[in-house]
Amino acid sequence: MENVQYLEELMEHCKSHHLPFQYQNLTWSPHMKDSSDMIDINGQGLVVFRTSISKDERTALLATATCLLYTPDKEHFGIVPLEAMCLGVPVVAVNSGGPTETVINQQTGFLCDSDAISFSTAMFRLVQEDDLLQKMRIAAKKHIEDNFINKA
């Protein structure tokens, strides 16, 4: 139920900012709004919401990502940033909780204040500075191999 409400909230944000979006693998539930209220621009949405994806799909999507945005504040030691870095994907996360133990700021990603400006600045750098992105990709993967993978 919480995830359904969060998905609805994200879709409303897209609409309020005039961002076209599409949804895939969406199972209707009584808690969802009428699907005719959702925007789908001929299957070519700028934002794609994918629900109920397989582990293989998740890995494939993550492996092709420029970065992982990890927004929980004061989150416990999360596995998601580790999974991303294992695939060489830099992490942009809130500078609190678990990410402070796993993400090396400005080496394997960015630890940011919990606001849109901080996150967008980090994302902009990764998109604009290809050398930085490539260095972070290598550093992220090496960081996981050196510190989180048991080589026994």
Side-chain angles (χ1 to χ4, degrees), residues 110-138:
F110 292 101
L111 294 173
C112 302
D113 291 336
S114 183
D115 63 64
I117 297 296
S118 295
F119 268 75
S120 62
T121 299
M123 292 171 6
F124 184 79
R125 286 193 63 196
L126 290 171
V127 170
Q128 292 296 311
E129 301 175 34
D130 191 57
D131 287 347
L132 174 66
L133 174 62
Q134 297 312 317
K135 286 178 187 174
M136 283 190 172
R137 286 188 181 283
I138 292 166

Side-chain angles (χ1 to χ4, degrees), residues 62 65-72 78-96 98-112 118-119 122-123 126 132-133 135-141 143-144:
L62 190 54
T66 300
C67 65
L68 171 79
L69 303 180
Y70 192 72
T71 60
I79 192 73
V80 175
L82 296 177
E83 290 174 326
M85 290 188 290
C86 187
L87 294 170
V89 177
V91 175
V92 179
V94 177
N95 190 15
S96 71
T100 63
E101 300 175 35
T102 57
V103 178
I104 303 171
N105 192 35
Q106 301 202 30
Q107 290 181 33
T108 64
F110 292 101
L111 294 173
C112 302
S118 295
F119 268 75
M123 292 171 6
L126 290 171
L132 174 66
L133 174 62
K135 286 178 187 174
M136 283 190 172
R137 286 188 181 283
I138 292 166
K141 195 167 190 171
H143 176 56
I144 296 302

Side-chain angles (χ1 to χ4, degrees), residues 18-78:
H18 306 290
L19 293 172
F21 67 91
Q22 63 172 292
Y23 52 95
Q24 300 171 354
N25 301 330
L26 187 62
T27 303
W28 186 88
S29 88
H31 305 289
M32 293 292 293
K33 294 180 180 170
D34 177 45
S35 62
S36 65
D37 190 39
M38 299 177 190
I39 301 169
D40 186 358
I41 309 297
N42 299 320
Q44 300 298 315
L46 174 63
V47 177
V48 178
F49 295 103
R50 307 249 349 235
T51 60
S52 303
I53 62 174
S54 71
K55 183 179 179 182
D56 289 342
E57 287 175 299
R58 185 190 69 209
T59 300
L61 289 167
L62 190 54
T64 61
T66 300
C67 65
L68 171 79
L69 303 180
Y70 192 72
T71 60
D73 191 16
K74 299 177 183 81
E75 183 73 11
H76 65 287
F77 184 91

